[in-house]
Amino acid sequence: MGLFDLFKSRPKNTAKLAKERLLIIVAQERGAEAMPDYLPLLKRELLEVIRKYVNVDPDAVQVNVEREGSQEVLALSVTLPEKD
Amino acid sequence: MGEVIVVTSGKGGVGKTTTSASLACGFARRGKKIAVVDFDIGLRNLDLIMGCERRVVYDFVNVINGDCTLKQALIKDKRFDNLSVLAASQTKDKDALTQEGVAKVIDDLKNDFDIVLCDSPAGIERGAFFAMYFADRAVVVVNPEVSSVRDSDRVLGIMSSKSRRAEQGQDAVKEHLLLTRYSPDRVERGDMMSVGDVEEILGVKVIGVIPESPEVLSASNSGVPVILDENSDAGQAYSDAVARLLGETVPMRFLDPKKKGFFQRLFGS
């Protein structure tokens, strides 16, 4: 770093940020690759049903297929909005 | 039977063709009988990087269509007589490559050469698919940059499920990363992901790290693959990568920032 650089405001460690973002997106995309084709549609329909009763964000519904040994588990999690 | 190695990446412009040309010359210099095949149908460029663009008479698609024999289409390198180039066709026909056609060419090349190096086009379409389909090993060229790393992961995923080895239930394609345009200074400053970061994200080991270096452009300008420029860092790094691909243990070089002089440090570079 040169003398003049001391006066410049430097961005934070962006490499670290890149790595964190990539670890998340890569894990997500690898998961998506291994998932059954019906999952996105299932998720959308579930969201519609839930929204009849509670107003939740699209992100609030998580549908995942997890493997536990030879068994496959369909895990559904819905985050409800905070009560005012 | 020769070994098929694909040089691929997903993203364009990361240095696949530069890498293919250098690895090809490197293997040839080490005495291997090698054929390097350009799969970028429609956008032929390997010939230019290898410096044999004026000697292309027949190409890959001509061989598949039976317009000529494989032997007629192979261009012998002027520097190494154990190195041959098969140029890509410049046809606009997207379906010029057929699975049977490519399979025949690859199998014939495997009979005649120790190594068949497939230079993949960018993307994940037909040409890229065929380049990786027959591979025994893969060199995934990646820049320490977000889109390149993400695309590499996609390509690794496709390879592990769609290659001929995967389809036939054989051992998986052996995967290596080759990091290009690496800048140790920027890594130290925290502006660029490190070798370790990229290995961790992709879960694949690096077989070589090519530092960002001006000689790479000069090399393509002159049609002499950069590995033949033994004074350049990039050339030496490619030579190391070739040695590792041949199973040798060679320590990594050019991973640390170059020492700067007093004035350079004072006034910045």
Side-chain angles (χ1 to χ4, degrees):
Chain A
M1 198 192 295
L3 188 60
F4 303 113
D5 292 342
L6 287 176
F7 304 106
K8 282 192 277 188
S9 72
R10 290 188 50 76
K12 282 211 297 270
N13 191 325
T14 55
K16 203 167 151 231
L17 190 60
K19 184 182 174 185
E20 284 162 7
R21 291 172 60 216
L22 280 168
L23 282 170
I24 293 167
I25 193 70
V26 161
Q28 202 178 2
E29 286 172 349
R30 279 182 196 169
E33 196 108 311
M35 273 187 192
D37 299 339
Y38 59 76
L39 224 60
L41 188 63
L42 174 69
K43 184 179 167 180
R44 205 174 332 142
E45 288 188 19
L46 280 169
L47 187 65
E48 278 167 28
V49 174
I50 292 165
R51 275 186 162 173
K52 279 187 191 170
Y53 304 93
V54 198
N55 188 19
V56 294
D57 275 358
D59 293 346
V61 179
Q62 295 288 335
V63 184
N64 285 308
V65 176
E66 284 156 22
R67 283 191 184 78
E68 291 175 6
S70 59
Q71 275 190 19
E72 283 190 318
V73 180
L74 180 69
L76 168 70
S77 112
V78 185
T79 316
L80 294 175
E82 283 179 39
K83 284 192 183 124
D84 299 313
Chain B
M1 269 308 237
E3 186 185 33
V4 181
I5 304 178
V6 59
V7 176
T8 184
S9 73
K11 189 176 181 296
V14 296
K16 282 181 297 297
T17 301
T18 300
T19 297
S20 299
S22 276
L23 295 185
C25 286
F27 283 128
R29 197 165 57 187
R30 299 292 301 266
K32 296 283 173 192
K33 194 171 179 215
I34 172 160
V36 56
V37 184
D38 189 350
F39 275 78
D40 204 346
I41 304 305
L43 298 170
R44 172 199 295 169
N45 272 321
L46 179 66
D47 55 339
L48 209 50
I49 305 298
M50 293 291 297
C52 63
E53 71 278 7
R54 306 215 6 204
R55 294 194 292 134
V56 178
V57 181
Y58 293 113
D59 60 53
F60 197 172
V61 172
N62 290 141
V63 179
I64 289 176
N65 293 344
D67 306 333
C68 65
T69 63
L70 178 57
K71 207 174 167 205
Q72 285 174 309
L74 287 171
I75 307 159
K76 257 201 192 314
D77 188 86
K78 293 257 192 215
R79 297 155 292 219
F80 304 98
D81 59 10
N82 50 338
L83 167 59
S84 299
V85 180
L86 181 57
S89 159
Q90 288 183 314
T91 175
K92 288 180 196 147
D93 176 14
K94 272 173 58 182
D95 302 324
L97 295 184
T98 59
Q99 176 132 351
E100 308 75 60
V102 178
K104 174 88 171 60
V105 172
I106 296 284
D107 287 338
D108 288 351
L109 288 172
K110 277 169 81 168
N111 281 328
D112 273 351
F113 292 88
D114 301 324
I115 298 172
V116 181
L117 195 67
C118 302
D119 180 26
S120 172
I124 49 175
E125 286 188 42
R126 219 173 161 82
F129 175 78
F130 285 134
M132 67 87 188
Y133 184 72
F134 301 94
D136 300 309
R137 276 210 275 179
V139 174
V140 178
V141 181
V142 56
N143 289 169
E145 175 274 328
V146 287
S147 47
S148 174
V149 173
R150 182 197 208 171
D151 290 357
S152 298
D153 190 66
R154 300 282 297 159
V155 165
L156 287 164
I158 293 168
M159 213 141 46
S160 67
S161 59
K162 302 265 163 62
S163 65
R164 181 159 73 173
R165 281 182 166 268
E167 280 184 1
Q168 296 183 347
Q170 293 174 287
D171 293 342
V173 178
K174 198 164 169 21
E175 302 159 339
H176 311 282
L177 298 179
L178 187 100
L179 215 52
T180 56
R181 311 202 67 167
Y182 196 71
S183 167
D185 284 300
R186 302 182 70 185
V187 172
E188 191 180 62
R189 274 180 283 163
D191 294 338
M192 184 182 270
M193 285 181 282
S194 68
V195 178
D197 291 341
V198 178
E199 281 183 331
E200 187 186 331
I201 296 162
L202 295 174
V204 178
K205 284 282 172 201
V206 159
I207 193 100
V209 178
I210 314 301
E212 170 84 73
S213 104
E215 289 88 356
V216 173
L217 183 60
S218 329
S220 27
N221 286 344
S222 42
V224 180
V226 71
I227 197 170
L228 301 178
D229 179 354
E230 287 173 54
N231 295 319
S232 75
D233 289 358
Q236 293 174 33
Y238 271 120
S239 297
D240 289 358
V242 167
R244 290 186 202 105
L245 283 166
L246 291 172
E248 294 166 25
T249 310
V250 181
M252 289 283 178
R253 292 192 275 173
F254 315 112
L255 298 189
D256 297 315
K258 289 217 160 115
K259 298 269 181 291
K260 285 182 182 170
F262 173 74
F263 282 103
Q264 252 186 318
R265 254 192 292 182
L266 192 60
F267 297 106
S269 48

